[in-house]
Amino acid sequence: MEKTLKLNHLPKKIASYLTEPDRIIPLKKQAFLFQQGEPVKELYVLLSGKVTVGKTSPDGRELTLRFCGTGDLVGEIIVDDSPTHYLVDARVTEPGEVAVFNQKKLNDTLISDPEAMLSFLTFANLQYRKDQTKFRDLVLHGKKGALYSTLIRLSNSYGKKKDHGIYLDINLTNQELANFCATSRESVNRLLNELKRQNIIDINQGRITILNLSFLKKAINCENCPIVLCTIN
């Protein structure tokens, strides 16, 4: 059955080249789409399910960089034939399906369309800038700042405005939140409880509502980056 691809945050020029995948494969929970050190050969568009992209240290500590859902492009973007290996892991957290595109085939096609190739490079640079801002928040503002930054990014990606605040329409455990901050679940529990006592957030049945977004932004000296740079996916 033919799949209609929903594509998030992609320029139309790139999206027009990602309409006919080479194949579609199922995603099983906890399986890896790719892992650090593997050669980069393909790009992926999620049709359904969820995938986290991040790094794991030799002692098992995790740092999550992206939380990807339907319509998100996943993978390292390469523009030449030089051997390239993944620097991160992509692990399935919710089963689904993914459309697979051969990168060499895609690049050979883009060569004949300089405008599309430029859009492709611009998009790749955007992804690197997004990662840099996440590292900036973690390094400059510590674990607390990383959590506040993560909540802000979640509000931009999955937030729904309600009368009393911004409801985060996504299921994330405290351990998954902790992985965005390179810290422990216990530390995140403590920080969330502190925000709840201050009436900055509310938590109901595991779902977070941000009651005072400006407090979080002020605490990390938010530079009001464009929304496209301040998302979790």
Side-chain angles (χ1 to χ4, degrees), residues 24-189:
I24 292 173
I25 59 175
L27 298 175
K28 295 183 179 180
K29 189 172 182 178
Q30 299 304 320
F32 285 94
L33 195 55
F34 53 79
Q35 291 183 272
Q36 299 176 59
E38 292 180 352
V40 176
K41 296 181 180 179
E42 297 168 321
L43 275 177
Y44 307 91
V45 174
L46 290 180
L47 302 175
S48 58
K50 294 286 192 298
V51 169
T52 59
V53 177
K55 294 186 71 69
T56 303
S57 67
D59 62 1
R61 288 180 299 165
E62 294 184 36
L63 173 62
T64 300
L65 297 172
R66 298 179 64 199
F67 187 80
C68 304
T70 301
D72 286 328
L73 184 69
V74 184
E76 297 277 352
I77 296 175
I78 55 174
V79 293
D80 57 33
D81 295 329
S82 302
T84 304
H85 295 80
Y86 288 109
L87 300 175
V88 293
D89 301 322
R91 182 168 54 86
V92 179
T93 56
E94 182 181 301
E97 289 186 314
V98 65
V100 184
F101 298 85
N102 180 278
Q103 287 229 39
K104 186 177 187 310
K105 179 179 174 182
L106 180 62
N107 289 348
D108 288 345
T109 304
L110 289 174
I111 286 175
S112 62
D113 188 343
E115 185 180 348
M117 178 61 83
L118 181 59
S119 292
F120 206 58
L121 291 171
T122 300
F123 179 77
N125 183 58
L126 174 64
Q127 297 305 309
Y128 295 136
R129 289 180 65 196
K130 287 171 70 172
D131 288 343
Q132 286 173 355
T133 61
K134 293 168 188 172
F135 286 126
R136 174 201 65 194
D137 293 337
L138 178 60
V139 171
L140 294 183
H141 303 293
K143 307 300 172 62
K144 178 185 286 189
L147 176 62
Y148 290 6
S149 171
T150 297
L151 292 174
I152 294 168
R153 293 174 189 279
L154 285 168
S155 75
N156 290 330
S157 294
Y158 296 99
K160 292 188 175 181
K161 289 187 177 180
K162 303 290 184 180
D163 291 339
H164 57 297
I166 302 174
Y167 174 73
L168 303 185
D169 189 19
I170 184 174
N171 278 319
L172 282 177
T173 66
N174 285 2
Q175 181 60 62
E176 288 172 323
L177 282 174
N179 290 344
F180 279 106
C181 312
T183 190
S184 67
R185 179 176 56 84
E186 292 76 15
S187 294
V188 164
N189 289 346

